[in-house]
Amino acid sequence: MLLKRISIFSAPYLVRELTEKDLSQMLELEKSQSTYLKLQGKQNLTIEEIKSDLTSIPLSVKSEQKWTLGFFKADKLVAMIDFLTDYPEVQSIWIGLLLVSKNEEQQGIATHLLKALFKSFKSEQFTNVQMLKYEQEEVNQKLLGKFNFTDKQSLILKSHDGVDIPAILSKLDL
């Protein structure tokens, strides 16, 4: 039901779960976001890492709680989102990744998709959305600011190459 609601609210984009068949498009989309890759310490991102990301979950999470969705325009992957349902608590959504293709940036796609997602989540009785706001990423900060996310906790994360990443846990009540 959740995927159907997201699809309805996300028009004109075709929405579907991403699979291993989509790995090359996923890699291309992630590589288009050099700022994100640099921040994460993933400048040499591989298809194997993308494949691993499709199924990786925290220990306390069941595989059916993980969603990796692609948003397509004419068979071209233009955005993707990775989220967990009922995490870190029941009726919560944890968004781990939201990326829009570099070629599609500044067209309001991320705002449109988040509005559709939040509407879908709320209709499915989820009460809040949580995600990280990276201090070094202006676009991420502006986007979360548009939706009035509340900063909850400062964190220091480690990138794939061991560098500290200052971040803030942010929450939006639906």
Side-chain angles (χ1 to χ4, degrees):
M1 189 66 153
L2 178 59
L3 183 58
K4 184 176 182 179
R5 286 188 200 273
I6 292 170
S7 295
I8 291 167
F9 297 135
S10 297
Y13 303 99
L14 170 70
V15 183
R16 65 174 172 78
E17 287 194 70
L18 295 171
T19 68
E20 288 186 15
K21 294 184 291 183
D22 303 304
L23 290 174
S24 60
Q25 283 200 70
M26 293 169 68
L27 181 63
E28 181 181 332
L29 189 149
E30 285 198 43
K31 282 189 169 185
S32 79
Q33 290 297 337
S34 58
T35 303
Y36 166 77
L37 290 176
K38 184 177 180 184
L39 177 68
Q40 296 293 320
K42 294 180 167 183
Q43 289 92 326
N44 299 314
L45 187 65
T46 66
I47 211 143
E48 290 77 25
E49 289 173 291
I50 300 286
K51 185 176 180 180
S52 173
D53 288 345
L54 268 178
T55 56
S56 66
I57 53 174
L59 291 175
S60 62
V61 173
K62 297 176 185 162
S63 60
E64 58 268 12
Q65 290 174 256
K66 167 119 176 169
W67 296 75
T68 305
L69 301 180
F71 299 84
F72 293 83
K73 186 189 321 180
D75 295 328
K76 177 78 171 155
L77 180 65
V78 296
M80 59 190 237
I81 187 167
D82 177 284
F83 64 91
L84 301 171
T85 58
D86 292 318
Y87 183 84
E89 57 203 21
V90 175
Q91 294 183 299
S92 291
I93 298 283
W94 175 264
I95 297 178
L97 175 72
L98 171 64
L99 286 178
V100 175
S101 169
K102 193 71 165 178
N103 296 336
E104 303 290 330
E105 277 186 335
Q106 308 301 318
Q107 297 179 31
I109 293 173
T111 300
H112 172 75
L113 295 180
L114 284 179
K115 283 180 183 177
L117 288 164
F118 297 162
K119 192 171 184 177
S120 303
F121 296 155
K122 188 173 184 171
S123 68
E124 293 289 324
Q125 307 305 311
F126 290 102
T127 59
N128 67 81
V129 176
Q130 298 179 44
M131 62 190 300
L132 294 176
K133 178 167 64 174
Y134 297 104
E135 292 181 9
Q136 300 171 0
E137 204 175 27
E138 275 186 45
V139 174
N140 172 272
Q141 290 181 36
K142 287 179 184 176
L143 184 62
L144 296 186
K146 280 184 185 179
F147 290 96
N148 299 315
F149 272 77
T150 304
D151 294 346
K152 294 296 182 183
Q153 180 182 1
S154 293
L155 304 166
I156 300 293
L157 308 173
K158 291 283 185 198
S159 69
H160 281 230
D161 56 3
V163 175
D164 287 348
I165 306 170
I168 299 169
L169 173 63
S170 295
K171 183 176 180 179
L172 173 68
D173 291 321
L174 299 173

